[in-house]
Amino acid sequence: MDQSERAMKPVDLAAPLAGGSDGNEEPILSLRVVRTQVEIKAIIAALKRTGWNRTQAARLLNISYRGLLYKIHRHHIDPAAEGG
């Protein structure tokens, strides 16, 4: 594989985001929305893994404890709603 083929790979990977040619195209989400969704999933996964111990979850996520508290508050993450 030469450099021009490698340079095209990210474009090829992004192609499925545009949807299929069958008319059922999914809307492309903004990067901000996708990043928020991934952040929420990562926080919830870390909290579940640590038994909702926020100090340990912050260490797993490599962020400060206060940063984790801010994100939990900002995203309205509730242990009762998430089964924690």
Side-chain angles (χ1 to χ4, degrees):
M1 176 184 313
D2 67 2
Q3 285 184 339
S4 63
E5 289 176 307
R6 272 187 251 141
M8 292 191 323
K9 283 295 182 187
V11 175
D12 295 339
L13 294 174
L17 294 176
S21 60
D22 59 0
N24 292 330
E25 292 187 14
E26 294 181 31
I28 296 176
L29 300 175
S30 73
L31 185 57
R32 181 175 291 164
V33 170
V34 173
R35 185 176 50 230
T36 299
Q37 290 173 345
V38 170
E39 186 173 86
I40 291 169
K41 287 179 183 181
I43 291 168
I44 291 171
L47 287 167
K48 285 182 177 180
R49 186 176 197 178
T50 62
W52 287 82
N53 183 310
R54 295 172 297 186
T55 301
Q56 290 177 3
R59 285 187 193 130
L60 276 177
L61 295 167
N62 199 26
I63 61 174
S64 70
Y65 175 76
R66 288 186 62 177
L68 177 62
L69 292 181
Y70 171 77
K71 291 174 186 294
I72 289 171
H73 178 73
R74 185 177 76 199
H75 297 307
H76 307 287
I77 298 172
D78 180 20
E82 300 299 331

